Amino acid sequence: MSQINFKLLHMFIAVAENKSFRQASEQLNRSQSAVSMQIKLLEDQVGAALFHRTTRRVELTAEGLQLLTHARRALGEWENGLREIREVIDIQRGTLSLACVPTIAATILPQALHAFQASYPGININLRELAAEDMLDCLRRREADFGIGPEMDGSTEFQFAPLFNDPIYALATRAFPFRKRSAVDLTELSAYPILLNSKSAALRSMLERALATRNLQMKIKFEVEHSYTLAALAGAGLGVGILPKVALPRPVRKTMQALPIVNPTLERTVCIVSLRGQSFSPAAGALTSVIHKFLKPRP
């Protein structure tokens, strides 16, 4: 029974539907003797006669009728499976899971997703907003096809394809008298109460390294989970918020000031993140191409 293949079943169905070896052979473009021999092989493998043969026509036996039902079902499922695979390859149908840090998901990602959905309406996208460390865990568990987030130092199990550099800014009311009006030094910034995003592990590590090289410390007043909460606290004059440029409120109110941090210049590299050596599906590859085109920082 394990030797039965779809070729034999296809011939069997042709004979059963035509009720004739001759007509089946013409339909299959095979000789009548070849078709007859293949049906005999199938009968030997099944262990039962499948057709009543007469001089005028052939009729299915009871076993033949039973096999015909299952053969049609098997070939139908096979053809459906091939069609579904072809639709995935042709990016007509399927589901993608994308993990993205909130600062990107809430600002510039929607434009890219809109463009992708316009080109590939049959692809469903499951978007997961996750902090950078949680995004990596999600990719590690293979719960997302790829991620969008900052490049992480020292991570060897992931590959990072750069999208753009995102400068780190200080956001505060004008009650904080920064000496310059084009940028703010890290040394000056360390004199003010600081507002940070508690989920931005990469930003925190960047800050700590920069402070350590200059023997500086920061007075962290509030740590919050969301950038819009951080901006609201900064707008209330509770301190100086530190956040990526892409996460700045738009527009920045006249009562506020947003300045890049310098000496040293701080910036993160936003990347397409995936497990090292991972191959993208056709749909995932198409989405990354659209993201590379549309995901650019706002001026």
Side-chain angles (χ1 to χ4, degrees):
M1 294 290 288
S2 62
Q3 299 299 314
I4 295 176
N5 56 44
F6 286 122
K7 180 179 179 181
L8 287 179
L9 292 181
H10 188 60
M11 285 191 173
F12 165 70
I13 291 173
V15 174
E17 291 179 344
N18 285 282
K19 297 183 179 181
S20 165
F21 281 91
R22 180 182 60 80
Q23 292 179 23
S25 64
E26 292 174 356
Q27 176 183 321
L28 298 170
N29 198 27
R30 300 289 300 274
S31 68
Q32 185 172 334
S33 61
V35 173
S36 180
M37 188 168 56
Q38 291 294 311
I39 296 299
K40 181 63 171 65
L41 175 62
L42 179 60
E43 290 177 324
D44 290 342
Q45 292 175 352
V46 172
L50 301 175
F51 293 100
H52 297 297
R53 295 165 173 83
T54 68
T55 55
R56 294 186 176 182
R57 62 191 305 174
V58 293
E59 297 285 349
L60 286 167
T61 64
E63 292 80 10
L65 282 168
Q66 188 173 4
L67 179 60
L68 180 62
T69 299
H70 293 291
R72 283 172 169 164
R73 183 183 304 158
L75 287 178
E77 290 180 357
W78 173 255
E79 291 170 358
N80 286 338
L82 290 178
R83 183 172 60 254
E84 289 176 2
I85 292 172
R86 175 53 59 188
E87 287 175 347
V88 170
I89 293 173
D90 292 341
I91 321 180
Q92 296 177 15
R93 214 173 67 172
T95 300
L96 284 174
S97 183
L98 168 63
C100 185
V101 294
T103 51
I104 304 299
T107 54
I108 57 179
L109 180 62
Q111 182 185 7
L113 294 182
H114 182 270
F116 178 81
Q117 293 278 249
S119 298
Y120 306 102
I123 303 297
N124 295 317
I125 299 177
N126 174 28
L127 175 61
R128 303 184 62 180
E129 288 186 89
L130 298 170
E133 290 289 350
D134 296 333
M135 179 192 69
L136 296 183
D137 286 339
C138 178
L139 295 175
R140 195 177 283 115
R141 295 190 299 268
R142 298 184 182 274
E143 294 175 356
D145 294 274
F146 63 91
I148 303 174
E151 185 174 10
M152 307 286 277
D153 293 334
S155 179
T156 58
E157 62 181 313
F158 298 96
Q159 50 192 14
F160 299 88
L163 289 169
F164 62 89
N165 291 329
D166 193 14
I168 307 303
Y169 268 60
L171 177 69
T173 65
R174 297 189 180 277
F176 292 87
F178 296 148
R179 288 192 295 270
K180 299 178 182 178
R181 287 293 172 240
S182 59
V184 56
D185 287 4
L186 187 64
T187 301
E188 181 183 4
L189 203 57
S190 63
Y192 297 115
I194 296 300
L195 313 172
L196 283 180
N197 187 323
S198 61
K199 295 290 188 179
S200 295
L203 177 56
R204 173 66 68 89
S205 298
M206 184 192 307
L207 272 173
E208 289 176 349
R209 288 195 303 269
L211 290 166
T213 59
R214 286 160 176 75
N215 294 318
L216 297 173
Q217 289 186 336
M218 279 189 168
K219 297 176 289 185
I220 300 175
K221 188 169 184 179
F222 286 105
E223 290 189 74
V224 296
E225 290 191 10
H226 301 290
S227 295
Y228 54 79
T229 305
L230 186 151
L233 294 177
L238 292 171
V240 179
I242 297 180
L243 69 173
K245 181 181 180 182
V246 74
L248 290 173
R250 296 293 174 135
V252 175
R253 298 201 311 264
K254 292 182 179 180
T255 57
M256 303 291 291
Q257 52 186 335
L259 304 175
I261 300 173
V262 297
N263 295 327
T265 297
L266 301 182
E267 66 178 15
R268 65 176 184 172
T269 302
V270 177
C271 303
I272 296 285
V273 188
S274 60
L275 284 169
R276 190 168 296 279
Q278 176 184 350
S279 297
F280 287 163
S281 68
L287 179 54
T288 59
S289 296
V290 172
I291 287 171
H292 273 283
K293 179 180 179 181
F294 280 90
L295 232 68
K296 297 177 183 179
R298 297 176 298 185

